[in-house]
Amino acid sequence: MIKRYDAPLKSEQEYLKSQRDYERKLLKAMKQDGLIPRNGKVILNLDLVEKLINFHLPEEKSESKFEFETIRKAYEQLKMNLECLDGTEIVVDTNFIGLLHRIMDWAVFDDFLQANLETEPENDAMLMNRANAYSQVEMYDKALADYAEALKLNPNQRLIYYNRARLFFKIGEYEKAIEDLSEGLKKPHCYDPELFYALRAKAFFELKKFDAVIGDLEKILAVCQEKIEQLSGKPLKDWGFPINHRLFMELGIKNAITLLKALVKEKITPSQRKQLKKLKEEIVHIRNSAMI
């Protein structure tokens, strides 16, 4: 018997749980070490952030230190995200640590790509990756500039369109996101069209263009069923993780289409009306599942 959804959900939940557990453990160790007080309240400054970034759990046995310029870059971005200045009182909690680590990851990644772009200034993949990193830490102007430059270098690279569409969606520019996704679908060698359809469906949903959402979900369903059919001729042991996702997506998509058609026809039962509140999340999960 095939498990339709246990595998993909379990792995994602375990990853997020391990991440939260690590942040809680790190916070506890910082307090025990006296780096921050028990109530977590500190005065924000570069020296403190440098110590927080370079702090390691005893069992990690790491003596690695980040370069000062990389830490300084991360610190400036941290202040922008927190909308505060030097000397501001803040609370160091697990959310703060998670934000700090994400920004530090970006700063290290940016340094790496910057060094490589100096030797390969016309590398569209590197520009796209840096744009993705800029987007992650909400440096949207720089991200859009890198996406635009990458598309000049390689106008047929569909992934650049997809990643820029994700940014447009993130900042509420749904029409621009739809334009990029539609353009990406026209490009050659689009092996993963369901990825584009799913995000476009979400953008159409935000614009309340429900007929268009249904159309894109039906396209995803067709691709999903085709891939299941391709896998179904293989022995069960060869299906593995992809078939779990495809079957789970099929259930989610069918449910979303049923609800949306009821919405368009304005014939919604009280129970369906309650389910509509969860429909956005349903489509988000379909989009995430399409990435597998």
Side-chain angles (χ1 to χ4, degrees):
M1 181 177 177
I2 300 169
K3 291 186 178 180
R4 290 177 176 259
Y5 50 83
D6 289 350
L9 289 181
K10 184 178 179 183
S11 63
E12 182 179 0
Q13 287 174 346
E14 285 182 345
Y15 170 76
L16 293 174
K17 182 179 182 300
S18 66
Q19 190 176 41
R20 287 193 295 268
D21 288 345
Y22 176 73
E23 288 165 0
R24 282 193 288 266
K25 195 172 183 180
L26 200 59
L27 180 63
K28 183 179 179 181
M30 288 174 175
K31 290 180 179 180
Q32 289 175 341
D33 191 64
L35 183 56
I36 55 175
R38 291 289 174 180
N39 62 10
K41 292 183 179 180
V42 297
I43 300 299
L44 186 67
N45 57 60
L46 179 57
D47 181 61
L48 173 69
V49 169
E50 183 176 12
K51 290 176 181 176
L52 292 175
I53 286 172
N54 285 321
F55 183 85
H56 298 288
L57 292 173
E59 60 266 32
E60 290 177 323
K61 297 179 181 179
S62 175
E63 297 182 359
S64 62
K65 302 288 183 182
F66 290 100
E67 292 186 8
F68 177 77
E69 280 304 309
T70 303
I71 295 174
R72 185 191 58 77
K73 183 188 295 185
Y75 178 58
E76 293 302 320
Q77 185 57 35
L78 178 67
K79 289 192 295 182
M80 289 177 60
N81 274 259
L82 296 175
E83 297 183 344
C84 65
L85 303 172
D86 295 280
T88 302
E89 185 180 76
I90 61 167
V91 176
V92 175
D93 54 13
T94 53
N95 291 330
F96 176 88
I97 291 173
L99 173 63
L100 182 61
H101 285 172
R102 289 195 302 274
I103 289 176
M104 195 60 198
D105 287 344
W106 157 76
V108 172
F109 191 59
D110 184 60
D111 285 348
F112 168 76
L113 287 179
Q114 188 62 48
N116 282 275
L117 281 167
E118 288 175 3
T119 58
E120 292 185 72
E122 296 189 353
N123 189 316
D124 60 282
M126 287 184 185
L127 282 165
M128 181 185 72
N129 286 333
R130 189 170 68 178
N132 293 343
Y134 280 142
S135 177
Q136 184 70 24
V137 292
E138 301 179 4
M139 300 176 71
Y140 300 133
D141 289 343
K142 289 187 175 182
L144 289 171
D146 273 356
Y147 284 134
E149 188 62 30
L151 281 172
K152 285 181 184 177
L153 296 171
N154 191 351
N156 285 321
Q157 176 50 271
R158 69 194 189 287
L159 288 178
I160 302 173
Y161 285 102
Y162 176 76
N163 283 292
R164 189 170 69 173
R166 288 178 61 190
L167 170 52
F168 280 137
F169 184 91
K170 185 178 180 181
I171 62 177
E173 295 279 0
Y174 304 120
E175 295 284 4
K176 290 182 179 179
I178 291 167
E179 287 176 14
D180 269 359
L181 292 163
S182 300
E183 192 63 31
L185 283 163
K186 298 175 186 175
K187 300 305 175 184
H189 311 301
C190 191
Y191 302 115
D192 45 8
E194 66 269 42
L195 205 62
F196 290 76
Y197 290 134
L199 182 55
R200 195 171 68 175
K202 185 73 169 61
F204 278 133
F205 188 92
E206 294 293 339
L207 296 172
K208 294 181 170 54
K209 296 182 178 181
F210 300 123
D211 284 325
V213 178
I214 292 170
D216 274 352
L217 289 177
E218 288 177 338
K219 289 183 178 74
I220 301 169
L221 185 59
V223 174
C224 180
Q225 290 173 333
E226 181 182 347
K227 291 188 177 181
I228 290 174
E229 185 66 28
Q230 290 171 358
L231 288 168
S232 64
K234 298 180 180 180
L236 184 61
K237 64 181 179 62
D238 293 337
W239 285 7
F241 200 58
I243 196 72
N244 290 337
H245 262 283
R246 297 296 170 189
L247 289 170
F248 177 68
M249 284 173 62
E250 185 178 12
L251 291 174
I253 295 165
K254 284 180 177 177
N255 181 48
I257 290 172
T258 299
L259 287 172
L260 281 166
K261 284 184 175 178
L263 177 63
V264 171
K265 294 178 180 178
E266 297 183 349
K267 295 179 180 178
I268 307 172
T269 66
S271 62
Q272 285 177 323
R273 191 172 295 280
K274 290 180 181 179
Q275 291 180 65
L276 278 171
K277 293 180 181 179
K278 298 181 180 179
L279 186 55
K280 268 192 197 179
E281 288 76 12
E282 185 88 56
I283 298 175
V284 170
H285 195 83
I286 291 167
R287 173 168 60 84
N288 292 340
S289 298
M291 296 180 186
I292 303 299

